[in-house]
Amino acid sequence: MEFTFLGTSAGTPTRARNVTALALQHGGPRHWYLVDCGEGTQHQLLRTRLSVVQLQAIFITHVHGDHTFGLPGLLTSASMAGRTTPLPLIGPPQLKPFIETILANTDSSLSFELLYINSEADDFQWQDDALRVTSFPLSHRVPCHAYRFEELRLERKLLTERLKADGVKPGPEWGRLQKGHDVILADGTLVRATDYTEIPRSPRRVVVAGDNDNPDLLTDACQDAHLLVHEATYTQEVADRVGPWPQHSSARQVAAFARKAGLPHLILTHFSSRYQAAGTRGPVIDEITTEARESYTGNLHLARDFQRFRLDRDLTLTEVDE
Amino acid sequence: MEFTFLGTSAGTPTRARNVTALALQHGGPRHWYLVDCGEGTQHQLLRTRLSVVQLQAIFITHVHGDHTFGLPGLLTSASMAGRTTPLPLIGPPQLKPFIETILANTDSSLSFELLYINSEADDFQWQDDALRVTSFPLSHRVPCHAYRFEELRLERKLLTERLKADGVKPGPEWGRLQKGHDVILADGTLVRATDYTEIPRSPRRVVVAGDNDNPDLLTDACQDAHLLVHEATYTQEVADRVGPWPQHSSARQVAAFARKAGLPHLILTHFSSRYQAAGTRGPVIDEITTEARESYTGNLHLARDFQRFRLDRDLTLTEVDE
């Protein structure tokens, strides 16, 4: 399971950071999912190996432009690239009039079906072969959600000693059992996969949050989760100066929550454009790191554009060098 | 009068070229105008000295996404940058529902008034203190226009010998006359600016065309013009292979027109993404140069992203190195 940060700036792009988008790779060769789609996401993708043709679904946390204005270009470019596979677009119900009005007024059409799925519905849940996705409401100026991704179809381990003991000989049946299928032997005996295989690990669980000023709302979502990706727009000092109106989190708030929730891995993103690289004027991003480390002692990262992370089956999170 | 190409690719962005946008600087310190606004135009601006706060007007040639999808982000970022000056948005009438629906569905609002002006109206003409702009219909899959920019308020030269001969002595009156104002002397004599000044040069005239498969439609627009900026999406050979449906021009068509129209300067742009830099696979952009030079012998350029040109008062066009 891999994560590529395509944009890590809040509100407006900077020269070093685009507005929000995150790619999650999982479930098949080059299969991937997109969470949020700020303007220029299709441009960022040109610098990765990800193709809109293999995109499995788009998840939008909320309607603000820095999370959605890249949708029309990404979708019409997928069309020009010849995509025909239907594409689920999961998010607030406003996405439908937003996309449809743009297409209608710009003489645009899509070569594939766009499946609008309302993430704000009470019974929202979505899954495909590889992932089950649930949503959790957050606190922001507009309805906003976190998405929790839990992997499905974990690889089974054959209990070979038990198979041999019960007289099931090595052969194609072992392969089918390992895939989770029950088999019937030549002598008519039914052999159940659940009796002769085990799943020796936990499914990986990841929560990707949208904009939010109350991380405690993620207590249930982060139950048993291994990684939280959450905004930390500024430090507490800046948050206090700005006031509560924007409804964003400080690094301190998120770090305190992550500690309390016992999260092993935390990636912060969505930084105010006032944070620049060290050596330039204005506050520096290291202030956010320092503040987060004051309360969170787990595996902490502050995302940069194009940074990639891998959450392995053994639940370690490592940065991937390209 | 300066031109900065912010995007020179047709349809979709490439790693080297963004989709269409062109900045025209004229008429005041940092005053500038934008023609077309593909996705990522605000990102390109971050790499120039141009600010959305000093943007005087936006001109859109037609509604296709590679010329318009950057508008929502550019406008909301201008808002976040604190713009309060009203902004004329000149283009097809679909821009109004396009922008208004996006703003309404993304909880966005603008801190300044957006003045929608229909460039398809029969009596369309727009001017400010510095420029007069007229539009000319083109031939494309949707209504599309070229904009002709003609400079206003040319600097006057004082006819000093005549002033002295008629007894008008050097002083503040000379300054006012040079600005085009009539003055009344201490003895009550009316001195007219038109009698004692002259405008020793032609106004600069530039035509920036949108997508178009029939350059001859620009015959009137290019009458007395000094520079034409026109798409040359591909060579004639590729155009023949693609067929007439996209309704774009080949380099050969545009070059033949520019020669016939006697245009001193021609800048080609809006190249198909199939053209890559020399050394890569696929056709190379030099094929477009070669084809254009076969019939056009004037000052020819193929625009690159961030390339800047200056059209001087003496009507020379030069590339500006930064």
Side-chain angles (χ1 to χ4, degrees):
Chain A
M1 204 180 258
E2 278 192 15
F3 304 87
T4 306
F5 284 84
L6 300 169
T8 59
S9 180
T12 54
T14 69
R15 286 185 61 152
R17 296 179 184 273
N18 196 27
V19 282
T20 298
L22 171 65
L24 190 173
Q25 278 174 274
H26 185 64
R30 297 177 170 246
H31 278 198
W32 66 288
Y33 307 81
L34 179 64
V35 186
D36 285 335
C37 188
E39 180 181 358
T41 296
Q42 67 161 326
H43 300 67
Q44 300 291 85
L45 288 172
L46 294 174
R47 298 176 190 278
T48 72
R49 293 179 185 169
L50 303 165
S51 156
V52 285
V53 175
Q54 271 101 21
L55 175 56
Q56 304 299 302
I58 302 175
F59 298 86
I60 299 292
T61 61
H62 66 299
V63 296
H64 280 156
D66 55 329
H67 298 250
T68 59
F69 284 169
L71 281 171
L74 184 108
L75 297 172
T76 51
S77 287
S79 243
M80 285 187 259
R83 181 183 178 111
T84 55
T85 317
L87 180 61
L89 174 59
I90 294 142
Q94 291 91 332
L95 292 178
K96 193 164 193 267
F98 166 88
I99 299 292
E100 289 184 347
T101 306
I102 292 177
L103 296 179
N105 282 288
T106 60
D107 182 48
S108 308
S109 60
L110 301 181
S111 59
F112 55 90
E113 194 182 358
L114 200 58
L115 307 168
Y116 294 96
I117 298 168
N118 179 5
S119 61
E120 295 176 8
D122 286 340
D123 59 349
F124 170 79
Q125 184 177 299
W126 183 87
Q127 72 176 61
D128 62 5
D129 284 349
L131 290 170
R132 176 184 299 123
V133 187
T134 46
S135 75
F136 295 81
L138 301 172
S139 168
H140 192 50
R141 309 197 299 276
V142 291
C144 185
H145 284 78
Y147 292 102
R148 174 175 150 130
F149 299 86
E150 179 171 334
E151 77 176 314
L152 299 174
R153 298 190 179 253
L154 278 66
E155 60 293 346
R156 287 165 183 272
K157 188 184 164 201
L158 274 182
L159 301 173
T160 51
E161 292 309 313
R162 186 182 296 176
L163 283 162
K164 286 179 196 160
D166 291 354
V168 185
K169 291 186 183 136
E173 290 80 8
W174 283 30
R176 291 208 292 279
L177 287 168
Q178 192 166 25
K179 284 180 181 150
H181 303 301
D182 299 340
V183 299
I184 295 168
L185 302 182
D187 65 2
T189 314
L190 173 65
V191 182
R192 292 187 193 279
T194 47
D195 295 336
Y196 292 94
T197 60
E198 62 176 14
I199 297 171
R201 66 176 182 92
S202 303
R204 286 166 280 190
R205 300 185 195 96
V206 174
V207 177
V208 181
D211 294 6
N212 178 34
D213 69 359
N214 185 0
D216 284 340
L217 291 171
L218 289 168
T219 303
D220 288 348
C222 289
Q223 191 77 30
D224 301 326
H226 306 107
L227 165 64
L228 170 64
V229 178
H230 198 287
E231 64 130 315
T233 305
Y234 19 53
T235 58
Q236 191 61 48
E237 186 221 324
V238 174
D240 291 342
R241 196 148 22 94
V242 169
W245 175 79
Q247 294 195 239
H248 288 301
S249 282
S250 69
R252 180 174 300 166
Q253 280 176 278
V254 185
F257 167 76
R259 179 196 184 123
K260 203 163 50 181
L263 278 157
H265 309 294
L266 174 64
I267 305 180
L268 302 177
T269 181
H270 192 273
F271 307 113
S272 161
S273 60
R274 58 167 64 70
Y275 293 99
Q276 301 295 334
T280 58
R281 284 189 302 172
V284 295
I285 196 88
D286 291 348
E287 296 173 20
I288 289 183
T289 314
T290 304
E291 182 170 298
R293 287 212 194 283
E294 280 168 17
S295 44
Y296 181 69
T297 54
N299 183 19
L300 172 73
H301 294 273
L302 269 68
R304 298 187 305 272
D305 281 26
F306 301 112
Q307 204 173 12
R308 285 172 60 197
F309 296 92
R310 180 182 297 131
L311 181 62
D312 273 309
R313 289 176 181 154
D314 68 1
L315 305 177
T316 56
L317 181 81
T318 46
E319 189 177 343
V320 181
D321 286 328
E322 196 68 355
Chain B
M1 201 181 259
E2 279 193 15
F3 304 86
T4 306
F5 285 84
L6 300 169
T8 58
S9 180
T12 54
T14 70
R15 286 185 62 152
R17 297 178 183 273
N18 196 27
V19 283
T20 299
L22 171 65
L24 190 174
Q25 277 174 274
H26 186 65
R30 296 175 170 248
H31 278 198
W32 67 288
Y33 307 81
L34 179 64
V35 185
D36 285 336
C37 187
E39 180 182 356
T41 297
Q42 66 162 326
H43 300 67
Q44 300 289 86
L45 288 172
L46 293 174
R47 297 175 191 278
T48 71
R49 293 180 186 169
L50 302 165
S51 157
V52 286
V53 175
Q54 271 102 21
L55 175 57
Q56 304 298 301
I58 301 176
F59 298 86
I60 299 291
T61 60
H62 66 300
V63 295
H64 282 157
D66 56 328
H67 298 251
T68 58
F69 284 169
L71 281 171
L74 183 108
L75 296 173
T76 52
S77 287
S79 244
M80 286 185 257
R83 181 182 179 114
T84 54
T85 316
L87 180 62
L89 174 60
I90 294 143
Q94 291 93 331
L95 292 177
K96 193 165 193 267
F98 166 89
I99 299 292
E100 288 184 348
T101 306
I102 292 177
L103 296 179
N105 281 288
T106 60
D107 182 49
S108 308
S109 61
L110 301 181
S111 59
F112 55 90
E113 191 181 1
L114 199 59
L115 308 167
Y116 294 95
I117 298 168
N118 179 5
S119 61
E120 296 176 6
D122 285 340
D123 60 348
F124 170 78
Q125 185 178 298
W126 183 87
Q127 72 177 60
D128 62 5
D129 283 350
L131 291 170
R132 174 185 298 126
V133 187
T134 46
S135 74
F136 295 81
L138 301 172
S139 168
H140 193 48
R141 308 196 299 275
V142 290
C144 185
H145 284 78
Y147 292 103
R148 174 174 150 130
F149 298 86
E150 179 171 333
E151 77 176 315
L152 299 174
R153 298 190 179 252
L154 279 67
E155 61 290 350
R156 287 163 184 273
K157 189 185 163 199
L158 274 182
L159 302 173
T160 50
E161 292 308 311
R162 187 184 295 175
L163 284 162
K164 285 177 195 162
D166 291 353
V168 186
K169 291 186 183 134
E173 289 81 7
W174 282 32
R176 291 209 291 281
L177 287 168
Q178 191 165 24
K179 284 179 181 152
H181 303 301
D182 298 340
V183 298
I184 294 168
L185 303 182
D187 67 1
T189 314
L190 172 66
V191 182
R192 292 186 192 280
T194 47
D195 294 335
Y196 292 93
T197 61
E198 63 176 13
I199 297 171
R201 65 177 182 93
S202 303
R204 285 167 281 189
R205 301 184 194 97
V206 175
V207 177
V208 181
D211 294 5
N212 178 35
D213 69 358
N214 185 1
D216 283 340
L217 291 171
L218 289 167
T219 304
D220 287 349
C222 290
Q223 189 77 29
D224 300 327
H226 306 106
L227 165 64
L228 170 64
V229 178
H230 198 287
E231 63 130 315
T233 305
Y234 19 53
T235 58
Q236 191 61 48
E237 187 220 325
V238 174
D240 291 343
R241 196 151 20 96
V242 170
W245 175 79
Q247 294 196 239
H248 287 302
S249 282
S250 69
R252 180 174 300 167
Q253 280 175 280
V254 184
F257 167 75
R259 180 194 183 124
K260 205 163 52 180
L263 278 157
H265 310 294
L266 174 64
I267 304 180
L268 301 177
T269 183
H270 193 273
F271 307 113
S272 162
S273 59
R274 58 167 64 72
Y275 292 98
Q276 302 295 334
T280 59
R281 283 190 302 175
V284 294
I285 195 88
D286 290 348
E287 296 173 18
I288 290 182
T289 313
T290 305
E291 181 169 299
R293 286 212 195 282
E294 280 168 16
S295 43
Y296 181 69
T297 53
N299 183 20
L300 172 73
H301 294 272
L302 268 67
R304 298 186 306 271
D305 280 25
F306 301 113
Q307 203 174 14
R308 284 172 61 197
F309 297 92
R310 180 181 297 129
L311 182 62
D312 272 307
R313 288 176 180 153
D314 68 2
L315 305 177
T316 56
L317 181 80
T318 47
E319 189 177 342
V320 182
D321 288 326
E322 196 68 352

